């Protein structure tokens, strides 16, 4: 496989595993860092997914479960990745047979006609986003079950928007979508729907906090179907921050932090700078999109996750990520002495 693979691409291995890249720092020593999303089945079962007519297991309960499955079936793929400070799954490029590019999927959907209701909705929503915000189709990608081809009638429309400037434009003008009658942006009446997709205590404590967070996440309903339009940072920005690091996990950090720089906190991944209660300066990397656009400069937050140090320069990092099987929290709080 000579094709370049970058976040947020998916790829399919020779033995049929469907994998999601997890960070802009994706290619490593002739391989690609990723987390499996769907595994092929020998026999179908009620509720399984189908990809190109073949049965696949639905999502495992957590990414950690998927990682554990790979550790047992392909232990040779497990490598310590210094840039992230953890053992990760690194799939050899020689074992990858197909790459799925979100931009290509979006372009194909926009340029074709469909009988499927979800694909019709995806096409109409794409057209609306392009019209309202004056984006180019090359700025947008489609991922998730539509990208893979294993969607159901009730599936979401998962879009990604490439680039910081486009992300700023979207976030600052997101309410313009309400001009269209097919759009519903979340309010207090949607608590049950929102809660069905979120993990309590990781980033909120009350339902009002949850609704306020979700309003900032550029998501809502189109024709009654949940959509998600996630701005992602240019891979070059993230790579510049990650490449060459030599991280070592030095413990678990939990406490109050003051945000001193949130200029890259609106996107996926969200990157923040903060000062802990004991005066320790840390960089925060949030590779889970639930944390995008939640904190601003001067805010205080309760944070909990692994603490790392870059042994080159002694800089400290707190990383929140789906590949970490630990308690993780990041939620805004009032200042507490």
């Amino acid at each position: 496989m000579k094709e370049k693979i970058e976040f947020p691409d998916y790829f399919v291995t020779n033995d049929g595993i469907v994998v999601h890249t997890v960070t802009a720092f994706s290619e490593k020593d002739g391989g690609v860092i990723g987390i499996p999303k769907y595994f092929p089945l020998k026999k179908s079962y009620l509720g399984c997914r189908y990809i190109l007519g073949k049965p696949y297991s639905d999502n495992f309960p957590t990414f950690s479960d998927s990682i554990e499955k790979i550790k047992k079936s392909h232990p040779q793929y497990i490598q310590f990745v210094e840039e992230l400070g953890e053992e990760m799954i690194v799939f050899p490029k020689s074992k990858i047979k197909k790459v799925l590019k979100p931009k290509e999927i979006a372009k194909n959907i926009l340029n074709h006609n469909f009988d499927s209701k979800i694909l019709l909705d995806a096409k109409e929503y794409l057209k609306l986003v392009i019209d309202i915000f004056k984006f180019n189709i090359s700025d947008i990608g489609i991922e998730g079950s539509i990208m893979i081809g294993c969607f159901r009638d009730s599936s979401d429309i998962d879009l990604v928007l490439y680039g910081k400037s486009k992300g700023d434009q979207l976030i600052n003008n997101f309410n313009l979508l309400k001009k269209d009658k097919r759009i519903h942006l979340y309010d207090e009446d949607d608590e049950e729907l929102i809660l069905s997709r979120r993990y309590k205590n990781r980033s909120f404590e009350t339902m009002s906090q949850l609704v306020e967070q979700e309003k900032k996440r550029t998501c809502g309903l189109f024709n009654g179907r949940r959509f998600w339009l996630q701005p992602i940072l240019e891979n070059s920005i993230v790579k510049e921050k990650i490449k060459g690091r030599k991280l070592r996990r030095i413990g678990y950090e939990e406490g109050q932090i003051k945000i001193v720089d949130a200029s890259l906190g609106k996107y996926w991944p969200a990157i923040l700078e903060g000062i802990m209660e004991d005066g320790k300066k840390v960089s925060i990397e949030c590779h889970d999109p639930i944390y995008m656009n939640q904190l601003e400069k001067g805010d205080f937050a309760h944070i909990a996750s692994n603490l790392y140090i870059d042994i080159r320069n002694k800089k400290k990092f707190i990383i929140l990520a789906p590949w970490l099987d630990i308690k993780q929290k990041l939620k805004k709080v009032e200042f507490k002495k």
Side-chain angles (χ1 to χ4, degrees):
M1 171 60 65
K2 295 182 179 180
E3 187 174 359
K4 191 172 183 61
I5 302 175
E6 293 190 304
F7 178 78
D9 295 347
Y10 283 64
F11 57 89
V12 184
T13 65
N14 292 343
D15 46 3
I17 302 170
V18 180
V19 184
H20 191 348
T21 54
V22 293
T23 170
F25 186 78
S26 54
E27 296 201 5
K28 174 72 174 174
D29 300 332
V32 184
I33 301 169
I35 295 180
K37 196 167 179 70
Y38 298 104
F39 291 89
L41 295 169
K42 293 181 179 179
K43 294 178 64 176
S44 63
Y45 62 81
L46 183 64
C48 72
R49 301 271 182 162
Y50 284 88
I51 301 174
L52 297 177
K54 297 181 179 180
Y56 273 72
S57 62
D58 204 349
N59 290 345
F60 276 64
T62 68
F63 280 121
S64 298
D65 294 313
S66 294
I67 293 171
E68 286 303 312
K69 183 175 176 66
I70 288 293
K71 283 183 176 180
K72 293 177 181 178
S73 63
H74 299 79
Q76 69 275 22
Y77 292 176
I78 306 301
Q79 293 185 29
F80 181 78
V81 177
E82 286 194 315
E83 290 83 356
L84 300 173
E86 295 288 343
E87 284 191 336
M88 304 289 290
I89 308 173
V90 183
F91 294 85
K93 293 195 79 172
S94 61
K95 303 296 183 181
I96 297 172
K97 67 178 180 180
K98 185 178 182 180
V99 182
L100 301 173
K101 298 281 188 182
K103 287 186 178 183
E104 293 177 4
I105 303 298
K107 185 177 180 180
N108 287 340
I109 285 180
L110 190 65
N111 293 329
H112 289 84
N113 296 318
F114 304 97
D115 295 325
S116 164
K117 181 66 168 63
I118 184 173
L119 295 181
L120 283 171
D121 280 348
K123 179 176 180 176
E124 289 302 309
Y125 181 61
L126 270 172
K127 289 165 63 177
L128 176 63
V129 168
I130 290 170
D131 179 60
I132 291 286
F133 300 108
K134 309 305 178 188
F135 295 144
N136 295 317
I137 185 59
S138 59
D139 298 323
I140 303 171
I142 289 184
E143 59 162 32
S145 60
I146 294 179
M147 177 190 205
I148 298 167
C150 61
F151 53 82
R152 294 170 171 155
D153 291 342
S154 59
S155 291
D156 301 343
I157 302 172
D158 298 321
L159 269 61
V160 289
L161 181 67
Y162 290 80
K164 182 178 182 296
S165 62
K166 296 294 188 297
D168 290 340
Q169 184 180 344
L170 171 70
I171 292 167
N172 294 335
N173 299 284
F174 187 61
N175 283 336
L176 291 177
L177 283 174
K178 291 194 293 187
K179 292 180 178 180
D180 193 284
K181 294 181 179 180
R182 296 168 294 179
I183 290 287
H184 171 73
L185 302 185
Y186 289 135
D187 56 34
E188 287 70 17
D189 294 333
D190 300 308
E191 290 178 352
E192 185 175 338
L193 173 63
I194 299 171
L195 186 60
S196 69
R197 305 300 179 94
R198 295 288 296 276
Y199 297 101
K200 193 172 183 180
N201 298 324
R202 286 176 60 181
S203 63
F204 65 94
E205 292 178 338
T206 67
M207 294 306 294
S208 60
Q209 287 177 355
L210 171 63
V211 173
E212 286 306 308
Q213 287 178 11
E214 205 72 356
K215 286 180 179 179
K216 295 182 178 181
R217 290 190 63 231
T218 54
C219 53
L221 302 176
F222 178 79
N223 280 341
R225 184 187 306 280
R226 180 179 164 93
F227 71 81
W228 183 71
L229 180 54
Q230 180 69 54
I232 62 174
L233 282 174
E234 289 92 341
N235 282 325
S236 59
I237 293 176
V238 183
K239 285 179 181 177
E240 183 179 349
K241 291 185 171 293
I242 292 178
K243 189 174 181 180
R245 293 192 312 200
K246 295 182 181 295
L247 296 190
R248 299 293 185 271
R249 188 184 339 132
I250 57 174
Y252 182 84
E253 188 80 14
E254 182 166 12
Q256 184 170 276
I257 189 168
K258 181 180 180 180
I259 304 302
V260 297
D261 186 347
S263 57
L264 296 178
K266 298 178 181 179
Y267 323 98
W268 182 22
I271 300 174
L272 304 156
E273 302 291 333
I275 300 176
M276 298 296 296
E277 293 173 280
D278 59 5
K280 180 167 61 258
K281 295 180 180 180
V282 296
S283 292
I284 307 165
E285 287 179 11
C286 307
H287 294 274
D288 188 325
I290 67 170
Y291 301 116
M292 61 83 65
N293 199 30
Q294 298 301 319
L295 295 168
E296 299 178 2
K297 182 178 179 179
D299 284 344
F300 289 86
H302 180 80
I303 191 168
S305 195
N306 284 343
L307 178 67
Y308 303 83
I309 190 169
D310 188 338
I311 60 174
R312 302 173 308 162
N313 53 25
K314 307 305 180 184
K315 186 174 181 180
K316 294 182 174 65
F317 297 82
I318 296 176
I319 296 178
L320 299 97
W323 57 81
L324 297 175
D325 188 19
I326 56 170
K327 182 181 75 171
Q328 302 177 58
K329 289 185 180 181
L330 182 65
K331 49 190 169 188
K332 184 177 177 179
V333 297
E334 297 299 321
F335 172 68
K336 297 178 182 178
K337 292 186 178 180

